[in-house]
Amino acid sequence: MVALETFSDIWARACDRKGGPAIVKSLLPDTLSAAEICEYSDAQLLSVMSKRVFQSGFVWRVVDNKWSAYEQAFFDFVPMKVLMLSPDQIQQRASDPALIRHQKKTQAIVDNAYMIQQISAEHGSFAEFIANWPTDDITGLWQVLKKRGARLGGNTGPYFLRAIGKDTFLLSQDVQSYLTAHKVVDAGFTSQTALRQTQAAFNQWQQESGMSLAQISRTISLGVGDNRV
């Protein structure tokens, strides 16, 4: 891995491409405090998580339009109630035309309800577990979601975290392109080596800039490629 580009240079490039600091600042995402994240119920988190699972590789608008039907079909995503569904009831929902016909993603709702219930038992609540996870090891939280949950690998887990306000960077196509072009990583992005290298780079940029991981990630995207943020 070569010497990192300074964040001031990354910021300057984004400002040059987007029309100045004020515009770039207006495009940066917000994050929530640990106390605010702790206010989420397990049901709210399962709902957001499940929506991200269904949106992965699918048209987001279609998922959004059907989500009220999902809330009804899955008891407002209360984990204990979801876990009471029988295999026949799960199959019925996986083939319901009012929902999205996808067996594995439907099963993931149940599997992730189990994960949330287990982690809640271990840490008081799933929200507290997420809120208290240190951002300087955010890729470690990605790995927990991937290993203990269902269909939360790739960017799905990070997009879930971003959706609930947990500070995280995203490995979007533009961010990956930047990290590769600047030789920040020297391994495939699914590898533990690349995740460690990426985390270390973002930690350094955060110390330099005082910005959140999410804001740094967005700034990188605004300065390169097609600005897929």
Side-chain angles (χ1 to χ4, degrees):
M1 186 170 68
V2 299
L4 285 178
E5 182 180 31
T6 65
F7 185 75
S8 59
D9 286 342
I10 295 172
W11 175 261
R13 183 166 52 250
C15 291
D16 182 62
R17 293 195 74 193
K18 305 308 290 187
I23 294 176
V24 172
K25 288 179 181 178
S26 73
L27 296 171
L28 299 182
D30 294 322
T31 57
L32 298 183
S33 68
E36 290 172 318
I37 293 173
C38 283
E39 294 178 4
Y40 284 114
S41 68
D42 288 348
Q44 288 174 315
L45 294 175
L46 180 58
S47 178
V48 177
M49 180 182 292
S50 300
K51 180 181 281 190
R52 287 293 178 248
V53 167
F54 274 92
Q55 287 176 330
S56 178
F58 206 76
V59 179
W60 286 30
R61 174 174 45 80
V62 173
V63 178
D64 287 339
N65 290 341
K66 288 180 177 286
W67 210 247
S68 61
Y70 272 94
E71 297 278 2
Q72 182 176 358
F74 288 91
F75 314 110
D76 293 320
F77 288 98
V78 176
M80 185 175 295
K81 293 182 178 179
V82 171
L83 291 172
M84 293 176 67
L85 289 168
S86 69
D88 286 344
Q89 289 173 317
I90 297 169
Q91 179 59 49
Q92 188 178 53
R93 284 159 173 76
S95 57
D96 187 342
L99 305 176
I100 294 170
R101 297 176 182 177
H102 198 297
Q103 177 68 41
K104 292 183 178 179
K105 290 190 176 186
T106 302
Q107 181 62 46
I109 297 175
V110 182
D111 295 340
N112 287 330
Y114 179 76
M115 173 190 69
I116 288 174
Q117 188 177 67
Q118 291 298 106
I119 291 178
S120 293
E122 297 164 7
H123 297 274
S125 77
F126 188 54
E128 288 184 32
F129 172 73
I130 292 174
N132 294 327
W133 192 281
T135 56
D136 63 1
D137 180 36
I138 199 64
T139 57
L141 181 54
W142 295 4
Q143 293 304 299
V144 171
L145 294 175
K146 178 181 177 180
K147 291 178 180 178
R148 297 191 63 172
R151 304 187 75 86
L152 294 173
N155 270 331
T156 304
Y159 271 116
F160 157 68
L161 296 174
R162 178 69 66 84
I164 63 170
K166 177 68 175 179
D167 188 20
T168 184
F169 54 84
L170 297 176
L171 290 177
S172 66
Q173 291 183 42
D174 282 334
V175 171
Q176 289 189 37
S177 295
Y178 171 88
L179 296 173
T180 300
H182 288 259
K183 296 181 170 53
V184 176
V185 299
D186 55 17
F189 283 98
T190 59
S191 72
Q192 292 298 311
T193 296
L195 291 179
R196 285 195 297 270
Q197 291 171 336
T198 302
Q199 181 78 68
F202 272 86
N203 289 348
Q204 183 169 322
W205 288 323
Q206 187 172 49
Q207 291 175 6
E208 178 187 340
S209 67
M211 297 174 70
S212 69
L213 300 178
Q215 291 171 338
I216 295 168
S217 178
R218 180 66 59 84
T219 303
I220 292 172
S221 293
L222 293 172
V224 300
D226 297 324
N227 298 168
R228 294 184 289 268
V229 298

